[in-house]
Amino acid sequence: MSEAVRRRRSNGDEEEHQRPRSARAAYRATQGRDGGGSRAAAEGDVVDAGDARDVVDSRRAAGSASSAGATGAAGAATLRRSRRGAADDGAAPRRASLRQRSFIGTLKALDVLSSAGAHVSVRVADLDSGEDVLTGDDHLVLPVGGLGVVPLLIEVAAQIEFGQLDPLEILDRGSIPPVGVAGIWQHLKAPALPVADLAVLAAAASDAAAANVLLERVGLAAVRSRMDDIGLTKTALIDRFRDERGLDDAPQVALSTARELSTLFAAIVNAQVVSPAVGAQVGEWLNLTQDLALVGAATAMDPFAHEDDRHGLLFVNKTGRADGIRAEAGVLAGPAGGVAYALVVGFDDLSIAHRLRAHDAFRALGADLMEYVF
């Protein structure tokens, strides 16, 4: 993705190939023409999830109301190109539907969760304008589980970029206590892997062992310092992954807010984290994420091969899972627009019904996001 990131051929040749500078640059490079930019969040379009019930009721009462027009964001014409043949005639982006503007499905699902006592933090922002499209307690600090891998990957990429860490340095799994909470390295015979491969495992498969070994190498203090430098005051990687947490252990792996997570992913996709090369490298790793079971379920993308979607979708995400915790943040962009989003839910995991209710909220958000970007 970055000019600074090059792949070595396995046969040892020195042939190199220049990658796009960011996930969005890679997306734009595949498009057929300059599009009209994404839909700017119009004044009055922001919906607060805390008022979900009132909004849903009012929308039902106004069932025949027409949708407001949505214009392209100023200066965004060069940021997105449509793969759709219909876009080649120069037509302006389609008008936003009522559902696109109000996120009715998401609001109803979040209302159900809140009524059941769950803690919910959500934010959706237009990728080009940065304007809020949907917000609800987005300042609330909540556990985010495996999403704590993202600050770690940023620090790993930064140390590689600045010459403090060799991406081919071999790290041993035996350097950390065994952990089996998630991942595939625990099932592999190879006892040691290079830094770059461990970053891929941590991003793509939420591999706990890979993340812990990387954290042992770069240092927890360095990760926290990097987050402070970026300006994320409410996002913190607190501890390594553990199978069980004792009284002397940190109660959670990581904490954050929906606002900071959505802001962070927008910066990653636009290669604006630490440096363009660092942002591009982190985006490349996260583009390999295989967990598309929550928001990603609505995209119908192949979880094992979605880096270059034939229908013009850019989807970069990371999920976090733990007992009573479901979290996801990412970027979704399509022919009609793009969004950065984050949804964090803390719930009582008392039964499969409680868990499915939380998952339904993520899938409802995914469906609404798809309508927004198409």
Side-chain angles (χ1 to χ4, degrees):
M1 286 183 171
S2 164
E3 294 180 2
V5 180
R6 306 180 185 276
R7 293 180 176 174
R8 298 184 179 180
R9 297 171 61 93
S10 59
N11 60 10
D13 292 341
E14 290 296 322
E15 179 179 351
E16 294 178 332
H17 124 141
Q18 195 172 22
R19 301 183 60 84
R21 293 186 177 179
S22 68
R24 295 194 77 191
Y27 173 75
R28 297 197 301 270
T30 64
Q31 308 305 295
R33 70 170 190 88
D34 288 344
S38 71
R39 180 183 305 105
E43 183 178 357
D45 282 355
V46 179
V47 180
D48 191 324
D51 299 325
R53 185 178 289 106
D54 293 340
V55 172
V56 172
D57 291 343
S58 65
R59 294 297 185 185
R60 286 172 177 169
S64 62
S66 61
S67 61
T71 61
T78 61
L79 293 180
R80 186 166 291 105
R81 302 169 186 171
S82 174
R83 287 180 183 169
R84 289 183 164 184
D88 292 336
D89 60 3
R94 293 179 300 171
R95 293 171 65 86
S97 69
L98 178 64
R99 181 177 175 81
Q100 286 170 328
R101 293 184 57 224
S102 63
F103 282 68
I104 291 177
T106 302
L107 291 171
K108 291 172 66 177
L110 295 182
D111 186 44
V112 170
L113 275 177
S114 297
S115 298
H119 297 287
V120 177
S121 178
V122 62
R123 180 181 184 243
V124 177
D126 187 90
L127 190 57
D128 291 325
S129 69
E131 295 291 332
D132 289 342
V133 177
L134 172 68
T135 62
D137 286 339
D138 59 352
H139 64 284
L140 192 62
V141 178
L142 292 172
V144 294
L147 263 168
V149 165
V150 178
L152 173 61
L153 292 175
I154 292 172
E155 180 58 27
V156 170
Q159 291 194 16
I160 291 174
E161 172 67 12
F162 300 136
Q164 301 169 285
L165 183 63
D166 184 350
L168 298 181
E169 178 182 340
I170 303 298
L171 300 181
D172 197 320
R173 187 172 54 201
S175 64
I176 61 165
V179 59
V181 65
I184 60 175
W185 193 17
Q186 59 183 313
H187 304 295
L188 302 181
K189 297 299 183 184
L193 290 171
V195 167
D197 289 354
L198 294 177
V200 169
L201 286 176
S206 295
D207 197 294
N212 283 355
V213 169
L214 288 172
L215 183 59
E216 179 75 13
R217 175 62 180 82
V218 301
L220 183 58
V223 177
R224 292 176 175 173
S225 177
R226 186 73 61 184
M227 290 301 97
D228 290 340
D229 292 343
I230 293 174
L232 300 181
T233 59
K234 297 181 179 180
T235 298
L237 180 59
I238 302 174
D239 192 18
R240 62 180 174 85
F241 290 94
R242 302 174 185 268
D243 289 333
E244 295 182 2
R245 296 196 169 273
L247 295 177
D248 295 331
D249 300 324
Q252 303 293 341
V253 175
L255 300 172
S256 190
T257 69
R259 176 164 291 274
E260 288 200 351
L261 286 172
S262 57
T263 300
L264 178 59
F265 268 79
I268 289 172
V269 169
N270 285 311
Q272 297 173 345
V273 174
V274 183
S275 73
V278 170
Q281 179 61 86
V282 175
E284 179 176 297
W285 287 332
L286 291 173
N287 205 19
L288 302 173
T289 300
Q290 296 178 353
D291 188 357
L292 271 60
L294 297 177
V295 171
T299 67
M301 300 176 84
D302 185 344
F304 307 109
H306 57 86
E307 189 172 0
D308 184 16
D309 180 69
R310 70 177 64 183
H311 299 299
L313 276 178
L314 169 68
F315 187 51
V316 178
N317 77 310
K318 184 72 184 73
T319 59
R321 299 169 182 259
D323 291 341
I325 299 169
R326 293 295 183 272
E328 181 168 342
V331 163
L332 178 64
V339 289
Y341 70 90
L343 173 59
V344 184
V345 178
F347 61 100
D348 292 326
D349 197 2
L350 302 177
S351 69
I352 190 64
H354 289 76
R355 189 177 300 173
L356 290 174
R357 187 160 51 216
H359 284 212
D360 285 345
F362 286 90
R363 290 164 184 162
L365 175 61
D368 285 339
L369 293 179
M370 284 292 287
E371 293 199 19
Y372 189 94
V373 304
F374 272 92

